[in-house]
């Protein structure tokens, strides 16, 4: 099956999920790269090149990179002792709740 046939077989509701999946893949890769970059730069001591904690703990997770950011931080042990670390799992749970809720509304035919 080629790409054109796959597009023909998509239901109208599958397209937003495909776009969401593509967005989450891109933002997750960006989140992993940013987290690893900050970890590497932290070892050099060049404070001016560091990524602000606001970006690591809120901006990227809110854009959809919460799962990738959380896993990367735990695996690399980067900023895991900061109290702001609790924000990332909270964002992840809220994002999952919204996704489940929207999916349920669509599945029930309310929209």
């Amino acid at each position: 099956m080629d790409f054109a046939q796959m597009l023909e077989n998509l239901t109208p509701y599958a397209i937003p999920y495909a776009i969401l999946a593509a967005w989450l893949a891109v933002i997750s890769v960006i989140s992993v790269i940013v987290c690893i970059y900050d970890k590497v730069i932290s070892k050099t001591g060049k404070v001016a090149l560091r990524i602000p904690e606001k970006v690591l703990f809120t901006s990227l997770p809110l854009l959809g990179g919460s799962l990738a950011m959380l896993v990367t931080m735990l695996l690399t042990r980067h900023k895991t002792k900061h109290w702001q670390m609790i924000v990332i799992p909270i964002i992840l749970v809220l994002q999952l709740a919204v996704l489940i809720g929207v999916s349920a509304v669509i599945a029930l035919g309310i929209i």
Side-chain angles (χ1 to χ4, degrees), residues 27-107:
I27 199 67
S28 293
V29 168
I30 291 170
S31 297
V32 169
I33 291 170
V34 168
C35 188
I36 291 173
Y37 167 81
D38 192 56
K39 175 74 174 182
V40 169
I41 292 299
S42 71
K43 302 275 187 193
T44 66
K46 297 179 181 176
V47 177
L49 299 175
R50 297 287 304 269
I51 305 295
E53 288 185 355
K54 188 185 323 179
V55 172
L56 290 173
F57 290 120
T58 55
S59 299
L60 288 172
L62 282 174
L63 289 173
S66 54
L67 181 61
M69 184 67 72
L70 180 64
V71 170
T72 304
M73 284 184 163
L74 292 174
L75 289 176
T76 61
R77 296 184 190 159
H78 185 56
K79 295 190 179 279
T80 54
K81 293 184 179 180
H82 290 246
W83 70 269
Q84 297 101 325
M85 187 70 176
I86 191 67
V87 173
I88 298 174
I90 292 171
I91 291 171
L92 178 61
V93 168
L94 291 174
Q95 288 170 339
L96 289 173
V98 168
L99 181 63
I100 291 168
V102 169
S103 297
V105 166
I106 290 171

